[in-house]
Amino acid sequence: MPRRRIVEDSSDEEPSQSQPASQLSQSQGGGEISDQDKKVLAGNVCNYFLVSDCKKIPAKRSDIVKSVLKDHGRHFKEVMAEANRIMERVYGYKVVELEKKNQFIMINTLMMNNQDDDNLLLAPTSNSEVANIGLVTAILAGIFMSGQVMQEGPMREYLKKLGIDIDSREEHPTFGNVTRYIHQDLVRQQYLQITLNKDVEPPSNEYRWGERAHKELSKKDILELVCKVYGNQTRPEDWVAQWKIVKKEEKES
Amino acid sequence: MAEGSKKTKKKRPQEEPSAATDDAADNATDNEVAVSTASTTSSDIRTILDVQMSEEANKEVRDRYRHLLQTVQEQADKAGQAGVDIANIHTMVNEANQAFPAVKRPREAALDTQFLKTCGVLAKLNIESSQSNLTVFRPSEFAQKLVYFMQRDSEIKRAENEVDYASWRRFGRAVSSLFKKTIGIEPMLGALEWEKPKVVRKARVTEKDKETQKKTPTEVANAVSGEERQTEEVLRLYKILNRRYRESGNHPVCFFSFVVNPDSYPLTAENLFHTSFLVREQLAVVEEGEHGIPVISPREQGQATVGGISSQCIVSISEKEWRDIVKTFRITQSMIPTPASRAKKRKS
């Protein structure tokens, strides 16, 4: 079967990352994918990830196959492996599959320097998101310290003390529509997991860490942050139950 | 629950007495119960009375339990992780014990069950927390410390609950290094397929151009801008005014005779409009003449304001007034001749 030659006229850009998929060679019957094609597809998958990561919503396998791989859907695993390699090599980003299967997020493998509070260079948070990260951290810390789950009542009280009304749809000066941000955006981004507990009267929400939170944060860091906030030379070990969880996480990683 | 089963046992014998009471109602007053069936006993009678006469009592019992449940919930919310104080739970269970004897029906019993279950959960929480933590985490306490932590570097001291935008940002920036976060990239030209935009060469349409060119020169001659026409008109009016003024021996001209066009109201309005410009430019002056009738006279350009105080006023002529003026002043011909182009328009 004659192959179409891959046209090289877009040569002033970096090689191979962004060539249109239409220029791939015809797929051969046996299910083998050529190295060249694999590289091209992987490059496109990387692009797909980089763009979908803007919204922080997990990327689905079905979407990737539909938009990027098209006819080469059956080579998903191989292409993904290659894409993962490229991301780690080029950006230090790792593609992680969520528990739900066939959904993917990316995390940053470069270790941040915790000592420097002002280390802006290595803190990849866009300006508009910076305040939101503060709120997310506060919520996650509260949940973790409360035994990894916080009920709706205590959560409401907790946020009230921080100047945030959890039920309000009005524009909070810093965070806008708070109730939507917490209950929709953060859940969709996998930072929070909210379940409805029907056993209590009236049925109320339970707040837990989402998968992305588990992957992006280390519980040890959170515990150390809490100690810093408390001051008074509080040590992480003083929080017995939480310290146990931290130790377990360390052993697992 | 033992009490619960007692209730069901009582229910069955109740069915028989109810048949008896139906008969009784026919023969006796509400307060009397005539029992004719042999199977009923005195305790059954008491049951009937209890059930029938204590609707209010039952409601009272339900209210008590609801109040208890509410109290328990409030306490749970306030206490958070540590769980409600044991003494408090103890008090509430005692209250429930006191309320229980008044419970007669499954409905209230269900409330009682719910309440005890909640108490049980709280007690369990309390035990867990007191055993495992030497330091107890209280979210409210943490929140307060967090607020203080966020505000400590801020110059503006604010109220306790208010963490301002800048403080959140500062906190966010400090903690963002804890996250293994990635940043996406938004490309300008789309992420997947894109090609260099092709230059679409348009075929020259030359014939059309020639046609349009033929038309435009004739149009240009007639297209005088609105403003220019206005100035033209004003100047025209000035010339006419001057002529009339000289013809009448330097006598001021009757204002209405000058402005009004007996054949057309719109043109009158226009004349008035143009005259106002004349007056503004001080090329004409309107004063009160004989018998209080306004008169208008021209002035040389650049002449200083003639005595008096310069004032502004709004003059209007409605259509009816126009007709009256034409009649009163017997204006037969307009001083300001109708412009040629307008005359054409009117004819067509």
Side-chain angles (χ1 to χ4, degrees):
Chain A
M1 204 185 327
R3 284 187 185 197
R4 253 190 278 138
R5 267 198 330 133
I6 297 174
V7 184
E8 295 275 347
D9 64 334
S10 54
S11 47
D12 32 299
E13 287 93 29
E14 305 104 357
S16 92
Q17 289 285 1
S18 45
Q19 286 174 8
S22 55
Q23 291 174 357
L24 288 176
S25 55
Q26 306 279 4
S27 55
Q28 297 173 307
E32 282 290 320
I33 187 170
S34 74
D35 270 349
Q36 187 81 9
D37 289 346
K38 189 158 69 172
K39 247 198 210 149
V40 169
L41 283 176
N44 285 346
V45 170
C46 288
N47 276 355
Y48 184 88
F49 269 121
L50 284 169
V51 175
S52 76
D53 197 59
C54 289
K55 292 284 184 197
K56 292 276 166 249
I57 298 176
K60 297 205 187 91
R61 170 180 176 150
S62 51
D63 289 336
I64 296 176
V65 169
K66 196 166 44 164
S67 338
V68 183
L69 297 183
K70 299 205 180 109
D71 292 330
H72 300 263
R74 61 181 172 285
H75 297 125
F76 181 77
K77 271 214 165 70
E78 281 185 69
V79 175
M80 270 303 270
E82 177 66 21
N84 207 345
R85 251 180 21 91
I86 297 174
M87 289 308 271
E88 283 199 80
R89 202 162 27 102
V90 175
Y91 295 97
Y93 288 177
K94 189 157 94 153
V95 178
V96 171
E97 186 166 1
L98 296 182
E99 254 180 48
K100 226 182 208 169
K101 288 282 156 201
N102 293 329
Q103 285 192 32
F104 303 91
I105 58 169
M106 289 203 294
I107 57 168
N108 199 337
T109 61
L110 296 176
M111 287 318 292
M112 304 301 168
N113 188 350
N114 280 350
Q115 262 64 32
D116 289 330
D117 282 325
D118 292 327
N119 197 346
L120 298 171
L121 291 173
L122 284 185
T125 311
S126 60
N127 239 353
S128 56
E129 293 283 308
V130 141
N132 291 346
I133 274 292
L135 178 62
V136 172
T137 311
I139 294 178
L140 292 177
I143 294 176
F144 172 65
M145 296 301 288
S146 300
Q148 302 198 295
V149 57
M150 214 183 202
Q151 302 295 330
E152 186 170 338
M155 177 62 84
R156 187 177 284 115
E157 290 294 316
Y158 177 59
L159 287 177
K160 206 194 290 187
K161 283 246 143 67
L162 292 174
I164 295 171
D165 180 358
I166 199 178
D167 301 307
S168 158
R169 255 170 244 163
E170 278 158 29
E171 290 289 302
H172 185 276
T174 311
F175 300 111
N177 186 337
V178 171
T179 189
R180 188 179 63 195
Y181 183 63
I182 294 180
H183 294 94
Q184 284 184 30
D185 298 341
L186 287 183
V187 174
R188 227 182 302 143
Q189 294 177 9
Q190 309 283 323
Y191 276 113
L192 278 185
Q193 188 187 49
I194 302 181
T195 44
L196 189 63
N197 184 353
K198 298 204 194 83
D199 291 334
V200 292
E201 179 67 38
S204 51
N205 286 329
E206 290 188 343
Y207 298 82
R208 290 182 174 79
W209 279 35
E211 268 201 78
R212 189 188 286 270
H214 282 292
K215 300 261 188 293
E216 284 190 7
L217 285 175
S218 98
K219 304 201 173 54
K220 181 156 177 228
D221 287 339
I222 293 290
L223 190 55
E224 284 177 2
L225 172 71
V226 171
C227 290
K228 213 186 331 183
V229 170
Y230 267 90
N232 284 345
Q233 316 288 333
T234 329
R235 293 168 311 138
E237 297 86 0
D238 294 339
W239 304 94
V240 177
Q242 290 86 348
W243 184 243
K244 260 196 239 165
I245 300 173
V246 166
K247 281 282 148 205
K248 197 168 84 160
E249 187 188 54
E250 270 189 357
K251 225 190 294 175
E252 283 170 6
S253 62
Chain B
M1 288 188 48
E3 289 82 357
S5 53
K6 246 192 250 170
K7 290 269 177 298
T8 46
K9 279 195 195 149
K10 273 185 188 166
K11 248 199 160 176
R12 267 177 249 114
Q14 272 173 28
E15 288 169 13
E16 290 179 21
S18 64
T21 50
D22 278 342
D23 292 332
D26 292 337
N27 305 330
T29 64
D30 286 353
N31 289 332
E32 289 172 16
V33 180
V35 181
S36 48
T37 331
S39 56
T40 55
T41 64
S42 57
S43 62
D44 293 332
I45 300 168
R46 211 176 306 132
T47 317
I48 303 163
L49 287 170
D50 281 335
V51 168
Q52 283 186 333
M53 291 189 343
S54 59
E55 264 314 312
E56 299 87 19
N58 279 335
K59 186 162 186 316
E60 213 185 296
V61 170
R62 281 205 300 281
D63 286 336
R64 269 181 95 174
Y65 273 112
R66 289 222 182 89
H67 177 74
L68 276 172
L69 278 168
Q70 202 182 343
T71 319
V72 130
Q73 194 61 36
E74 285 170 9
Q75 295 218 11
D77 286 341
K78 254 189 275 171
Q81 169 66 7
V84 183
D85 197 41
I86 281 292
N88 287 351
I89 304 182
H90 197 102
T91 325
M92 289 192 287
V93 172
N94 275 341
E95 269 190 58
N97 283 345
Q98 283 170 9
F100 187 70
V103 171
K104 298 278 177 252
R105 303 192 303 192
R107 191 168 165 187
E108 285 76 37
L111 281 173
D112 181 74
T113 321
Q114 200 177 358
F115 173 74
L116 281 181
K117 183 175 164 191
T118 317
C119 284
V121 167
L122 287 174
K124 184 176 121 181
L125 255 174
N126 192 304
I127 295 168
E128 280 179 351
S129 63
S130 58
Q131 277 178 352
S132 55
N133 287 335
L134 294 173
T135 338
V136 176
F137 179 73
R138 273 176 264 273
S140 310
E141 189 188 351
F142 179 59
Q144 272 177 334
K145 296 210 182 256
L146 194 57
V147 171
Y148 179 69
F149 183 80
M150 285 194 269
Q151 286 181 341
R152 67 182 171 177
D153 293 326
S154 153
E155 278 118 27
I156 316 164
K157 287 298 167 201
R158 287 177 176 267
E160 262 219 354
N161 278 1
E162 291 175 36
V163 187
D164 65 322
Y165 181 61
S167 303
W168 276 115
R169 282 179 66 106
R170 214 178 314 116
F171 179 64
R173 215 183 308 251
V175 297
S176 60
S177 58
L178 298 179
F179 284 78
K180 298 199 188 83
K181 227 168 154 306
T182 57
I183 288 191
I185 298 174
E186 277 187 56
M188 273 170 66
L189 289 172
L192 296 176
E193 294 201 5
W194 62 275
E195 294 152 341
K196 270 189 183 153
K198 293 192 185 130
V199 178
V200 179
R201 288 175 178 273
K202 290 185 182 160
R204 285 192 174 230
V205 190
T206 36
E207 287 186 34
K208 249 192 184 172
D209 281 359
K210 282 185 189 160
E211 264 189 54
T212 47
Q213 271 176 17
K214 277 186 192 163
K215 280 189 186 167
T216 36
T218 45
E219 282 183 16
V220 167
N222 287 340
V224 186
S225 75
E227 267 196 48
E228 289 175 16
R229 205 183 295 166
Q230 241 178 54
T231 335
E232 265 184 47
E233 287 293 308
V234 172
L235 286 175
R236 195 168 70 99
L237 251 68
Y238 183 60
K239 282 191 206 136
I240 296 167
L241 180 61
N242 252 319
R243 199 173 357 117
R244 291 283 171 172
Y245 184 69
R246 269 181 267 121
E247 281 171 6
S248 64
N250 286 6
H251 216 76
V253 181
C254 169
F255 182 72
F256 291 120
S257 313
F258 178 64
V259 158
V260 165
N261 182 332
D263 300 318
S264 157
Y265 174 63
L267 284 174
T268 308
E270 276 195 40
N271 293 338
L272 195 54
F273 178 60
H274 295 310
T275 313
S276 69
F277 278 94
L278 272 180
V279 176
R280 191 186 70 167
E281 300 297 316
Q282 294 175 25
L283 293 171
V285 164
V286 179
E287 299 156 312
E288 196 181 311
E290 298 177 19
H291 313 295
I293 299 172
V295 292
I296 183 170
S297 33
R299 283 281 174 276
E300 290 294 327
Q301 205 165 23
Q303 212 172 2
T305 328
V306 182
I309 316 157
S310 72
S311 57
Q312 299 176 12
C313 69
I314 299 176
V315 180
S316 68
I317 301 182
S318 73
E319 202 166 340
K320 183 175 181 305
E321 286 170 351
W322 168 67
R323 273 192 276 270
D324 288 341
I325 292 171
V326 170
K327 223 189 305 176
T328 320
F329 287 86
R330 300 202 192 111
I331 304 173
T332 46
Q333 204 188 23
S334 91
M335 276 193 202
I336 303 167
T338 333
S341 57
R342 303 296 286 277
K344 255 195 206 170
K345 271 190 183 172
R346 276 193 302 128
K347 278 183 186 173
S348 64

